[in-house]
Amino acid sequence: MAKIAFILLCHKDPDAIIRQARSLTAAGDCIAIHFDGNAPARDYAQIRAALDPDPNVTFAAKRLKCGWGEWSLVAATLKAVEAAIDAFPRATHFYMLSGDCMAIKSAEYAHDFLDRHDRDYIESVDYFESSWIKTGWKEERLIYRHWFNERRQKRRFYAMFNLQKRFGLTRKIPADIDVMIGSQWWCLRRRTIEWILDFAKMRRDVMRFFATTWIPDETFFQTLVRHLVPETEIESRTLTFLMFTDYGMPVAFYNDHYDFLLGQDFLFARKISPEALELKHRLGVLFSARGATFEITNEGSALYKFLTGKGRVGRRFAPRFWEKESSLGRERELLIVVCKKWNVARRLVRQISKSTNIPCVEYLFNDEACALPDLGGIQSTMAKRHRHRVALLRMLFDHYDSDRLLVCIDPSSLDLLEDFDRDRSTTRILEIDCQFSEDYLIRHAIRAGLAGDRTPRETIAGLLPTVRDDLLHESDRIRDAGLDHHNRIRETDQAEANARVLADFLTAPESVAQDIVTLDDLFAD
């Protein structure tokens, strides 16, 4: 059975550290602690006095002074790992934690999970090919040497960097090493930890290299695990649930996040607010519980992004650079059907295709599986379709040998509507205004990843008003954009009224439009 040795790096709040250690060891696991050398000696003495009698607690042999972005964080982790290897010979897994982490599953669940999955859990993606680093330095972290702390010794840090850059004092990455990057919160098997410690003793060149890189806690273990362990035995993810704001700051969890956290497919969460005393107590009790079951919904990140994005709608007012001096053509007419219920739009469009000679393409900018002719690869991925949107439509006009083309677009894609509305071609927009039942909203929330099949009904009920408002807001944004030739048909209107609007949109006889809109199940969910 799995036995976890927790590796805890911490620097403050000795009372909380003592509680955390006692909670984690209560179920038979163990813990190795490194307490930052910058912290007061009396705090460390308090921790040692409280925890030294516990055989399931050990301490790093040496306290190092740690700084953000420094090698000292990796060195402190290695000290704690070495202490754990020596003190806990029966430990099967080593789990990296901070003082802000807490379990969101029971120890029983965690042990069973690790027993069933014989692999290492560490986010580890290619340093240069991935987009893990969003902004700022990338190659510079590695090819230059960084001896000073960027936060505490900013002038020296950048002076040394500029000096190396000026004189071209770069270095090469060790030839047999592919640098990887990822979260510093990992869970590794004992064999893997032993391999890493052996590697560290044998490959001093690699150790010297990482010791002067910047932010090595995001690269050192991530690189060595990939170098030492077969890829089939690595799960490139962390078992610690964490989220970041748009500004790169970690999201803190509070008392009312208990049920939310338990539904995520992770064993721990970071970071728990110091003020969330009730949450900490409930999670502490949960870790020692027996027979606890968990309904995994895993909608956390998508739900957070959805809810925090309200009121942050960005708009562009200029064409993209590849579309300058580019147009669909003055003589062409683009017809756009806009509808949130894709099945409704598809029924309407298929009837239009049967009743007119207008070529129709369904949600080509929203549905990866949309059937498109071979256009030389420009249609192959969603990214290419968006990036070369004008070129794609021009090729479709040419493919169908027509000056008229009808496409479907989701109302969330306002940027597309604005782009095509500005084009020199004639653009006509038909918005289909549907009613949204509670069942539809639930299915939409699940499709969008905001909820799962097992999400509690009360959670979904609390979410539905926001989902409904979001759908209505998309329609409001379209109307506020002031698009030319914008027509609307409504599920609540009589067929005669909708036929007049459709006839104007298609510039077709009203009798043809009447036949189209009187389809029996046009607005069915």
Side-chain angles (χ1 to χ4, degrees):
M1 181 178 177
K3 182 180 179 70
I4 305 171
F6 294 103
I7 308 300
L8 177 63
L9 263 59
C10 48
H11 64 280
K12 61 180 180 180
D13 200 348
D15 291 329
I17 293 168
I18 293 167
R19 288 194 300 270
Q20 185 179 22
R22 287 174 173 166
S23 173
L24 293 174
T25 57
D29 292 311
C30 43
I31 188 169
I33 300 173
H34 177 275
F35 192 64
D36 195 338
N38 291 306
R42 64 179 180 276
D43 289 351
Y44 183 59
Q46 178 185 347
I47 297 170
R48 293 297 299 257
L51 298 177
D52 267 343
D54 191 335
N56 288 325
V57 179
T58 191
F59 293 85
K62 182 179 179 181
R63 293 175 63 203
L64 303 179
K65 294 184 177 181
C66 299
W68 183 88
E70 291 182 6
W71 169 253
S72 55
L73 287 173
V74 176
T77 303
L78 290 171
K79 290 291 184 185
V81 165
E82 290 169 353
I85 281 283
D86 292 339
F88 311 122
R90 296 180 60 190
T92 60
H93 294 76
F94 294 74
Y95 198 120
M96 181 75 178
L97 289 174
S98 76
D100 295 322
C101 298
M102 286 202 72
I104 56 174
K105 300 291 186 293
S106 64
E108 181 182 59
Y109 180 98
H111 295 155
D112 179 66
F113 179 92
L114 296 176
D115 282 336
R116 287 186 288 109
H117 305 286
D118 183 24
R119 62 194 65 183
D120 295 309
Y121 288 89
I122 181 168
E123 186 179 21
S124 176
V125 297
D126 189 280
Y127 186 91
F128 293 101
E129 298 299 324
S130 72
S131 58
W132 204 88
I133 299 175
K134 303 297 184 185
T135 60
W137 287 355
K138 193 167 191 176
E139 187 180 37
E140 294 87 346
R141 291 193 188 187
L142 306 178
I143 64 172
Y144 296 106
R145 297 164 179 83
H146 304 278
W147 289 286
F148 300 103
N149 184 281
E150 192 268 344
R151 294 187 174 180
R152 290 187 285 105
Q153 301 164 297
K154 191 176 292 289
R155 182 173 296 180
R156 290 181 179 179
F157 179 89
Y158 287 105
M160 185 58 67
F161 167 75
N162 291 326
L163 184 66
Q164 293 178 80
K165 186 175 181 180
R166 179 180 177 184
F167 290 101
L169 300 176
T170 59
R171 60 176 174 179
K172 293 183 178 179
I173 298 169
D176 61 333
I177 293 294
D178 293 323
V179 179
M180 313 299 285
I181 192 169
S183 168
Q184 61 269 54
W185 312 111
W186 40 254
C187 178
L188 304 177
R189 296 168 297 177
R190 186 182 192 91
R191 184 189 65 179
T192 302
I193 289 292
E194 290 173 344
W195 285 350
I196 290 173
L197 294 179
D198 290 342
F199 182 93
K201 293 174 183 176
M202 293 185 296
R203 292 296 301 271
R204 307 311 299 176
D205 59 323
V206 176
M207 300 299 285
R208 285 193 299 270
F209 170 76
F210 277 106
T212 50
T213 59
W214 191 40
I215 321 181
D217 54 320
E218 294 179 350
T219 55
F220 177 77
F221 288 98
Q222 296 77 0
T223 299
L224 265 58
V225 170
R226 285 284 178 184
H227 185 73
L228 298 169
V229 179
E231 184 176 1
T232 55
E233 298 181 23
I234 301 172
E235 187 82 17
S236 184
R237 59 166 289 202
T238 175
L239 293 179
T240 299
F241 179 61
L242 66 164
M243 298 189 298
F244 291 90
T245 69
D246 293 343
Y247 305 102
M249 300 300 292
V251 174
F253 299 110
Y254 295 89
N255 291 334
D256 56 350
H257 285 121
Y258 179 79
D259 292 325
F260 169 81
L261 291 175
L262 266 56
Q264 307 315 309
D265 189 19
F266 297 86
L267 303 184
F268 282 75
R270 183 179 189 275
K271 51 191 293 177
I272 308 300
S273 169
E275 301 172 4
L277 300 181
E278 179 187 346
L279 176 61
K280 289 185 175 184
H281 172 72
R282 296 179 72 184
L283 292 177
V285 172
L286 173 70
F287 190 67
S288 300
R290 307 287 295 180
T293 58
F294 301 90
E295 295 290 338
I296 305 299
T297 58
N298 213 34
E299 78 281 13
S301 296
L303 182 59
Y304 177 80
K305 183 178 180 181
F306 171 74
L307 293 176
T308 57
K310 301 299 98 189
R312 296 186 184 180
V313 178
R315 298 188 181 185
R316 295 184 305 100
F317 295 93
R320 285 167 164 78
F321 70 89
W322 62 82
E323 294 178 358
K324 291 180 179 178
E325 307 304 326
S326 176
S327 169
L328 298 177
R330 291 185 185 278
E331 73 285 359
R332 285 171 168 165
E333 187 176 34
L334 177 65
L335 306 176
I336 303 176
V337 172
V338 179
C339 185
K340 198 65 184 181
K341 290 186 178 180
W342 291 10
N343 56 332
V344 174
R346 284 169 171 152
R347 289 191 202 105
L348 180 72
V349 166
R350 288 165 189 171
Q351 285 298 109
I352 291 173
S353 181
K354 291 178 183 177
S355 303
T356 71
N357 61 353
I358 304 173
C360 300
V361 182
E362 294 174 3
Y363 287 88
L364 73 166
F365 294 111
N366 307 106
D367 183 5
E368 190 88 51
C370 173
L372 290 171
D374 184 357
L375 302 174
I378 194 174
Q379 83 294 342
S380 59
T381 67
M382 195 65 70
K384 286 185 178 181
R385 296 180 200 175
H386 278 260
R387 187 163 59 247
H388 307 296
R389 58 188 66 173
V390 173
L392 175 63
L393 289 184
R394 286 177 65 93
M395 295 175 77
L396 285 172
F397 275 110
D398 293 339
H399 174 80
Y400 291 113
D401 192 22
S402 172
D403 288 334
R404 304 185 82 197
L405 177 68
L406 187 151
V407 301
C408 298
I409 292 179
D410 189 89
S412 63
S413 302
L414 179 61
D415 60 329
L416 294 175
L417 300 178
E418 291 179 322
D419 275 357
F420 296 137
D421 184 66
R422 285 191 294 267
D423 194 87
R424 289 196 294 269
S425 65
T426 299
T427 301
R428 297 179 181 275
I429 298 171
L430 177 68
E431 183 182 358
I432 306 177
D433 188 352
C434 299
Q435 299 296 296
F436 300 117
S437 67
E438 183 175 294
D439 286 342
Y440 174 84
L441 293 175
I442 292 172
R443 293 197 301 273
H444 176 73
I446 293 173
R447 285 194 299 269
L450 306 176
D453 293 333
R454 298 180 178 180
T455 300
R457 295 292 299 184
E458 57 270 19
T459 300
I460 292 180
L463 180 63
L464 291 188
T466 304
V467 174
R468 186 185 297 275
D469 288 345
D470 187 65
L471 300 184
L472 296 176
H473 180 57
E474 288 179 352
S475 180
D476 289 340
R477 289 173 60 214
I478 294 173
R479 276 175 276 171
D480 293 343
L483 305 175
D484 292 335
H485 308 296
H486 177 203
N487 301 280
R488 297 174 75 198
I489 63 174
R490 298 174 175 83
E491 182 176 354
T492 55
D493 284 355
Q494 296 295 321
E496 293 77 10
N498 286 334
R500 287 193 294 271
V501 174
L502 182 61
D504 181 61
F505 170 69
L506 297 174
T507 58
E510 203 167 306
S511 58
V512 173
Q514 184 74 33
D515 291 339
I516 295 171
V517 300
T518 52
L519 184 68
D520 289 339
D521 60 347
L522 176 61
F523 291 100
D525 281 350

